[in-house]
Amino acid sequence: MEDAPITTSTPIAEPARSGLGVDALRRDIVDNLICLQARYPEIATPHDWYMALAYTVRDRMMTRGVATGHAYVSHSAKIACYLSAEFLIGPQLGNNLIALGIENNVRSALRSLGVELDALIAIEEEPGLGNGGLGRLAACYMDSLSTLEIPAIGYGIRYEFGIFDQEIRDGWQVEVTDKWLQKGNPWEIARPDIAFYVNFGGRTESETDEQGRLRVRWIPGYTVKGVACDTPLPGFRVNTCNMLRLWKSEAIESFDLQDFNAGDYYEAVHEKVKSETLSKVLYPNDEPESGKRLRLAQQYFFVSCSLQDMLRLLALKGEPVGRFAYLFTAQLNDTHPSIAVAELMRLLVDEKLLPWDEAWDITRRALAYTNHTLLPEALETWGLPLFQSLLPRPLEIIYEINRRFLDEVRHRYPGDDARIARMSMIDESGAKRVRMAHLATIGSHAVNGVAALHTKLLEETVLRDFAELWPERFRNVTNGVTPRRFVMLSNPGLASLLGEAVGEHWATDLAKLRKLDEYADDAAFQDRWRRVKRANKDLLAANIRSATGIAVDPAALFDIQVKRIHEYKRQHLNALYIITLYERLRLDPHLEVPPRCFVFGGKAAPGYAMAKLIIRLITGVAEVVNNDPVVNGRLKVVFFPDFNVKNAQFIYPAADLSEQISTAGKEASGTGNMKFMMNGALTIGTLDGANVEIREEVGDENFFLFGLTAEAVERVKREGYRPADYVCANDELHGVIEAIGSGRFSRGDREMFRPLLDNLLNHDPFLVLADYAAYVARQQDVSTAWQDTRRWNRMSILNTARSGKFSSDRAIREYCEQIWKIEPVRIALERRR
Ligand SMILES: *Cc1c(COP(=O)(O)O)cnc(C)c1O
């Protein structure tokens, strides 16, 4: 055999797998196409090209990821661990190109191969590993952590089936299983060597060891293995590339040999299937469904794996267990990971043999808790029998923590039995339940709400006794969103205009947008601003057309409400307004109504009948309004199916008006409101969540405020709210209710919306009817403002200009300084050949 011939073509100067130039990228894309996809260019499908490109980009990130990991182990730097049951990270390709700053070079490299980058970006399936705001927040925070060069790891669950895909059939939501892993996931690195065992069920035994210590042994009913799957998350134009580490459950052995040898083949396979079920599917509810054993098992599974991994890293750093809280901090994203309090205690006391007091000190100093809700039905609790049977040892630890805690409370408030009962980790008012918010609060050194109003209400209501006992532990960290994904990637037209106006650094220093104030009245700048918005609306119009068949006029006011469908978010209030306008046009076809296009999007939990009926009302109104000649195209109503991060990226930038109309006191923060604002939408909204701070920043004259305040809502309820009175007092509202009841929006079916109307007229727990008149009036102001183009453009520019506070970079800096006490670590790249 002869050696391969020596090639004579000009060598590419840049090293394989890390070069960022066009030639190196082109060479490596083709190499990956051949070596990893086993295809040659002439027959490659778009998906082959996508995979080849994704691996090419991943290689560049690995250089950074490995350097980052090495630095974290060799430095004594503290690492922020973000524990979250959900990470809604969205499509990765476009974002990673922007982070690395290689979008243009990749575009050129592909073009020279006859392939269009945008077509490849468009075919990527997003990992739907979250329900909505909470999971997306975790993803925005991971982006900021890497960009700010903060040592961090995201810990969660690698669901095989994420949030369902939503289809609309016959006007109703239909859920379709999400198959995001079907074609393989090029971003993920499986780490079979990083795996931990997690116990469930069984019983405990205590014994005294040689040193005379009481030791508890957990004899589990069964054990599951958690295997790490890593996704690198690069920072923007820095070398830091942190990992999102998601746990996948596996059976310990492929087959239980004992069962197998005993001939019980099916039993052996059954055990395997049971273990692998753990990380199979994400619960598609925004709030907990009570009593779902599998859900509690998922929470314990990922928390235990994550804490064991942190202990492994501590050992790798060559540090003793006593240093745990100096080298790690774990943020609990809502109560889903709150079992961490008991599990860290178990690991330290049972496995590392630390004395209880020392373990408790470490646990409290390491953990911090973010509360996300005040809704009583969304506060997580678990029935004692279920908890006992699934997690007997953690429950014993919870009892012991509670016993010691209640002694402390008794000491502080002697004789106050009511307070003891209120603060206990066990709710004994009915069938006994474990209160996870209490567990999280008692086991953390810091507790935070997610907007100023939310934190205030938290301290006054659900955690009041705790805020009184430990006022120094409570603080606010208002949520934020990443301007890289939600402006730079989603709205490239706006991004380049911003770069020209305020300089290139706005994307990592969003306060710089303030400089836009100077341009608010500049006619030439306003025109460019308007053209950017118009291009975004053209794009949304095209997407609406292909997704729904509905033609909308991009010149109309785009009035958008996208978020999970929930009664407290009041999509039905918006629908009542649309019907109001429609009824006005029916009465007076010549009425002057500036053209408006109402766009809705969002998923309803599969078991939430009222939310699904609200979707049906919207699609019913759309069907009638869009086709009635009386309307003559002046109003259009669209339900955009399958709202997810990928669709969000072309929806937020196209909005003129952002609907943030939740009942005051119910939305903890909201983050959609911030994405709209950054992209130049004006808000019509209540004084709820972060809307309060948005209005503060932008000024009341640039915000359409309406509705009852949180205090007024409580007062109205206290005084006996009678929703039907509002219908009697308002002819227009009466007409709207009648129209819905008449079957006008349900193809003549008078029964379809009965449950919705009954609920509104007799209960209306979210005060839709009480806020109706104020909402309709404020919408009239919106129409008036819209007709004055100059005024509207000015307000739009000012909204973007004053959105700097809502960058997730600001939020992460606050977590670092106030809660985690962590500083950035700069990552150096060695040149590799
Ligand atoms: C931002 C976002 C949300 C949260 O929206 P809210 O209006 O704050 O409820 C939900 N889903 C997706 C896909 C998002 O991007």
Side-chain angles (χ1 to χ4, degrees):
M1 282 284 279
E2 276 181 11
D3 281 356
I6 295 161
T7 51
T8 52
S9 62
T10 18
I12 295 167
E14 288 194 289
R17 299 189 151 192
S18 63
L20 303 179
V22 176
D23 291 340
L25 288 164
R26 180 193 151 101
R27 173 199 60 201
D28 291 357
I29 292 169
V30 173
D31 273 0
N32 284 337
L33 184 72
I34 294 166
C35 300
L36 298 175
Q37 285 303 104
R39 282 280 154 81
Y40 54 92
E42 289 74 10
I43 62 153
T45 64
H47 183 259
D48 292 326
W49 283 114
Y50 162 76
M51 294 294 274
L53 172 59
Y55 284 121
T56 305
V57 175
R58 194 182 91 171
D59 284 343
R60 273 78 191 156
M61 299 196 301
M62 288 329 300
T63 315
R64 289 160 176 74
V66 168
T68 303
H70 181 250
Y72 294 171
V73 171
S74 51
H75 283 67
S76 57
K78 193 174 184 181
I79 302 177
C81 298
Y82 200 82
L83 269 61
S84 179
E86 305 187 5
F87 284 91
L88 194 55
I89 60 176
Q92 293 298 287
L93 177 56
N95 198 250
N96 292 340
L97 292 177
I98 280 185
L100 295 170
I102 57 172
E103 191 188 346
N104 291 335
N105 284 357
V106 163
R107 197 178 291 279
S108 306
L110 285 172
R111 200 160 276 165
S112 75
L113 294 161
V115 178
E116 274 307 313
L117 172 61
D118 294 333
L120 303 190
I121 288 177
I123 62 173
E124 182 170 344
E125 285 260 4
E126 76 175 74
L129 308 187
N131 274 286
L134 175 140
R136 183 55 233 177
L137 182 78
C140 283
Y141 282 177
M142 290 309 295
D143 184 83
S144 285
L145 284 164
S146 286
T147 298
L148 295 175
E149 305 179 292
I150 305 296
I153 304 171
Y155 281 116
I157 302 173
R158 181 187 179 274
Y159 302 104
E160 191 176 329
F161 298 101
I163 187 71
F164 61 86
D165 292 336
Q166 179 194 56
E167 290 183 6
I168 301 296
R169 290 191 210 144
D170 239 14
W172 295 97
Q173 166 174 298
V174 174
E175 300 93 25
V176 178
T177 50
D178 158 58
K179 301 177 196 78
W180 72 288
L181 287 170
Q182 208 166 48
K183 288 186 162 177
N185 172 11
W187 305 109
E188 173 181 275
I189 299 125
R191 299 231 180 247
D193 53 321
I194 301 179
F196 300 100
Y197 296 116
V198 181
N199 292 337
F200 292 99
R203 63 197 162 80
T204 64
E205 277 177 3
S206 16
E207 61 198 16
T208 310
D209 70 8
E210 309 86 68
Q211 279 88 30
R213 289 174 304 208
L214 184 74
R215 295 199 49 190
V216 178
R217 250 178 2 117
W218 179 1
I219 300 129
Y222 63 102
T223 299
V224 174
K225 187 163 103 174
V227 180
C229 295
D230 290 349
T231 303
L233 301 176
F236 180 77
R237 312 287 157 93
V238 291
N239 293 326
T240 301
C241 183
N242 288 322
M243 287 294 165
L244 173 59
R245 177 158 288 173
L246 303 178
W247 302 102
K248 176 180 192 269
S249 62
E250 280 185 5
I252 294 186
E253 302 288 347
S254 289
F255 294 97
D256 186 315
L257 286 178
Q258 211 132 34
D259 281 341
F260 192 54
N261 292 338
D264 197 346
Y265 179 80
Y266 285 97
E267 189 50 37
V269 175
H270 177 70
E271 279 300 312
K272 175 173 154 65
V273 169
K274 213 165 77 180
S275 307
E276 294 183 347
T277 303
L278 255 180
S279 61
K280 190 65 88 180
V281 60
L282 167 74
Y283 280 94
N285 307 314
D286 242 359
E287 47 190 63
E289 239 179 295
S290 70
K292 288 285 183 272
R293 186 184 185 86
L294 180 60
R295 167 102 177 158
L296 180 59
Q298 286 182 336
Q299 294 180 354
Y300 181 66
F301 165 72
F302 99 85
V303 164
S304 180
C305 288
S306 306
L307 292 171
Q308 291 186 61
D309 193 43
M310 288 154 70
L311 287 167
R312 177 188 68 93
L313 288 168
L314 188 72
L316 214 58
K317 281 163 161 283
E319 297 273 2
V321 177
R323 292 261 299 153
F324 187 87
Y326 294 92
L327 294 163
F328 292 95
T329 180
Q331 190 67 34
L332 311 178
N333 195 23
D334 210 337
T335 52
H336 316 146
S338 59
I339 189 69
V341 176
E343 178 63 1
L344 184 52
M345 284 301 288
R346 190 191 68 79
L347 289 166
L348 295 176
V349 171
D350 290 1
E351 312 229 327
K352 302 292 176 187
L353 306 182
L354 256 50
W356 180 278
D357 289 328
E358 189 184 346
W360 182 240
D361 183 56
I362 291 172
T363 298
R364 274 251 276 248
R365 282 192 291 120
L367 303 183
Y369 159 52
T370 304
N371 173 284
H372 281 272
T373 185
L374 304 165
L375 297 182
E377 66 272 26
L379 286 171
E380 220 175 7
T381 62
W382 295 100
L384 223 43
L386 186 155
F387 212 110
Q388 166 70 45
S389 69
L390 191 69
L391 304 171
R393 179 56 185 150
L395 184 62
E396 284 176 358
I397 291 173
I398 287 175
Y399 282 147
E400 181 61 15
I401 296 171
N402 198 39
R403 188 184 67 76
R404 290 164 181 250
F405 167 67
L406 293 181
D407 279 348
E408 199 182 317
V409 178
R410 260 184 220 105
H411 187 74
R412 255 297 279 283
Y413 305 96
D416 193 345
D417 289 345
R419 185 183 297 263
I420 301 287
R422 287 198 308 270
M423 296 183 83
S424 172
M425 279 159 42
I426 312 293
D427 179 357
E428 308 200 19
S429 60
K432 291 185 185 173
R433 304 185 70 81
V434 184
R435 294 163 163 158
M436 301 308 271
H438 291 202
L439 175 62
T441 302
I442 293 162
S444 295
H445 71 280
V447 177
N448 75 285
V450 290
L453 174 67
H454 170 241
T455 300
K456 172 178 149 334
L457 294 174
L458 193 62
E459 291 170 349
E460 289 172 2
T461 61
V462 287
L463 296 181
R464 179 182 175 157
D465 293 318
F466 296 94
E468 209 175 297
L469 180 63
W470 298 313
E472 69 288 353
R473 286 194 203 171
F474 283 76
R475 46 179 65 45
N476 175 247
V477 183
T478 298
N479 283 166
V481 302
T482 169
R484 272 77 62 184
R485 180 174 292 269
F486 288 107
V487 181
M488 212 172 226
L489 177 62
S490 303
N491 198 344
L494 181 64
S496 72
L497 189 52
L498 293 175
E500 274 184 54
V502 308
E504 292 304 327
H505 294 293
W506 62 270
T508 45
D509 183 4
L510 208 64
K512 288 225 156 60
L513 292 180
R514 271 277 164 181
K515 216 168 163 294
L516 275 180
D517 266 25
E518 297 164 26
Y519 295 85
D521 291 308
D522 177 329
F525 188 80
Q526 280 202 0
D527 282 344
R528 298 182 67 192
W529 191 264
R530 194 179 43 76
R531 279 201 293 276
V532 167
K533 181 63 78 178
R534 176 55 190 257
N536 295 334
K537 291 166 74 175
D538 288 341
L539 177 65
L540 176 56
N543 282 312
I544 287 173
R545 184 83 192 233
S546 63
T548 68
I550 301 170
V552 302
D553 175 8
L557 190 172
F558 275 25
D559 175 337
I560 306 188
Q561 187 172 19
V562 283
K563 47 182 76 243
R564 288 299 289 250
I565 310 294
H566 204 293
E567 288 164 281
Y568 87 77
K569 293 177 183 270
R570 300 199 296 192
Q571 281 91 355
H572 44 341
L573 176 58
N574 190 346
L576 294 185
Y577 173 63
I578 300 171
I579 299 170
T580 304
L581 284 181
Y582 175 58
E583 294 296 321
R584 284 181 189 171
L585 282 173
R586 279 165 53 94
L587 283 170
D588 176 8
H590 300 296
L591 190 75
E592 215 203 307
V593 176
R596 257 207 224 205
C597 171
F598 296 88
V599 178
F600 293 84
K603 294 172 187 178
Y608 189 174
M610 193 61 77
K612 290 176 137 179
L613 195 55
I614 291 173
I615 293 178
R616 183 64 188 83
L617 176 64
I618 294 163
T619 59
V621 171
E623 189 176 284
V624 172
V625 168
N626 295 346
N627 300 307
D628 190 333
V630 157
V631 174
N632 196 19
R634 285 174 290 179
L635 305 179
K636 288 278 171 168
V637 183
V638 174
F639 190 92
F640 197 97
D642 204 34
F643 181 60
N644 57 15
V645 178
K646 193 173 180 178
N647 296 331
Q649 288 175 198
F650 56 76
I651 293 175
Y652 291 116
D656 296 305
L657 186 67
S658 157
E659 297 271 355
Q660 306 300 336
I661 61 178
S662 52
T663 315
K666 303 298 176 193
E667 186 75 89
S669 162
T671 49
N673 46 5
M674 302 168 184
K675 301 170 201 164
F676 279 114
M677 183 196 197
M678 275 180 203
N679 284 283
L682 278 61
T683 302
I684 183 165
T686 48
L687 280 181
D688 199 15
N691 297 352
V692 175
E693 291 155 82
I694 286 177
R695 176 167 164 272
E696 246 165 51
E697 293 292 304
V698 79
D700 179 55
E701 68 285 8
N702 302 304
F703 187 104
F704 297 100
L705 179 69
F706 77 97
L708 298 171
T709 61
E711 297 88 75
V713 165
E714 288 312 312
R715 179 164 17 86
V716 169
K717 286 193 161 180
R718 228 180 10 250
E719 290 169 0
Y721 175 47
R722 293 170 21 143
D725 290 356
Y726 288 83
V727 180
C728 297
N730 186 325
D731 289 343
E732 229 172 13
L733 177 55
H734 188 256
V736 167
I737 299 290
E738 290 278 287
I740 298 171
S742 75
R744 183 170 297 152
F745 307 108
S746 40
R747 303 171 192 171
D749 181 347
R750 291 160 164 269
E751 291 309 306
M752 185 184 289
F753 296 123
R754 175 82 46 213
L756 181 64
L757 293 181
D758 283 350
N759 184 278
L760 282 182
L761 295 171
N762 301 316
H763 309 289
D764 192 15
F766 298 104
L767 282 77
V768 172
L769 303 187
D771 270 345
Y772 167 85
Y775 180 58
V776 170
R778 213 68 179 107
Q779 283 285 20
Q780 186 59 51
D781 298 339
V782 169
S783 293
T784 306
W786 174 251
Q787 284 168 303
D788 181 347
T789 306
R790 289 268 166 249
R791 180 177 163 213
W792 189 277
N793 288 338
R794 176 190 151 77
M795 293 194 289
S796 167
I797 293 167
L798 291 179
N799 265 271
T800 302
R802 297 167 185 181
S803 65
K805 174 175 177 184
F806 305 105
S807 167
S808 43
D809 297 347
R810 186 269 314 148
I812 284 299
R813 279 200 191 91
E814 291 180 7
Y815 279 102
C816 286
E817 287 162 16
Q818 298 177 29
I819 299 178
W820 303 335
K821 318 286 182 205
I822 298 194
E823 310 232 307
V825 170
R826 173 127 313 162
I827 305 299
L829 285 190
E830 282 172 38
R831 275 199 68 76
R832 202 157 50 83
R833 279 274 147 187

